[in-house]
Amino acid sequence: MVSETKNTRKTVIKIVVCALAALLVMLVIALIVNLVKLGAVNSRMDALNAQNAKLDRLIQSNDNMIEYCQSSEFVETYAREVLDMIYRGEIVIGGQ
């Protein structure tokens, strides 16, 4: 009877140790998988931040162009060069 109890305890301890070892292995695998995913996410975030900075520069450039196109200097230059317009009473010398 005592021998059976010892064998039962040993068996239970072996089962618990095996279960804990399996759990530990699963936790290590999950940790590795999550670290790999985290690395991929960080890499993607860096790429998106770089793209965001590029788009911000493009937006700023376009804003500057829009601001210039709304200026009277641009309107006058465009009217003269593209539309061949002149002010009343103005005489064009050396035209094309």
Side-chain angles (χ1 to χ4, degrees):
M1 188 82 153
V2 172
S3 173
E4 287 180 27
T5 306
K6 283 185 177 181
N7 286 338
T8 305
R9 283 185 183 168
K10 285 183 181 180
T11 304
V12 169
I13 290 173
K14 286 180 183 178
I15 291 172
V16 169
V17 168
C18 287
L20 288 175
L23 179 64
L24 181 62
V25 168
M26 289 179 4
L27 287 174
V28 168
I29 290 171
L31 176 65
I32 292 170
V33 167
N34 284 329
L35 287 174
V36 169
K37 285 182 181 180
L38 182 62
V41 167
N42 284 337
S43 175
R44 178 76 173 136
M45 188 170 69
D46 290 342
L48 288 174
N49 284 336
Q51 184 179 12
N52 189 33
K54 182 179 177 182
L55 291 173
D56 282 342
R57 288 189 302 273
L58 181 61
I59 288 169
Q60 183 60 43
S61 173
N62 287 339
D63 286 345
N64 292 341
M65 185 60 159
I66 289 169
E67 188 177 322
Y68 169 68
C69 288
Q70 292 173 341
S71 71
S72 59
E73 175 188 353
F74 171 79
V75 172
E76 183 175 344
T77 303
Y78 186 84
R80 287 179 180 276
E81 294 177 3
V82 177
L83 303 175
D84 293 326
M85 297 177 78
I86 59 172
Y87 285 110
R88 282 192 189 135
E90 190 175 40
I91 299 171
V92 178
I93 300 175
Q96 296 176 1

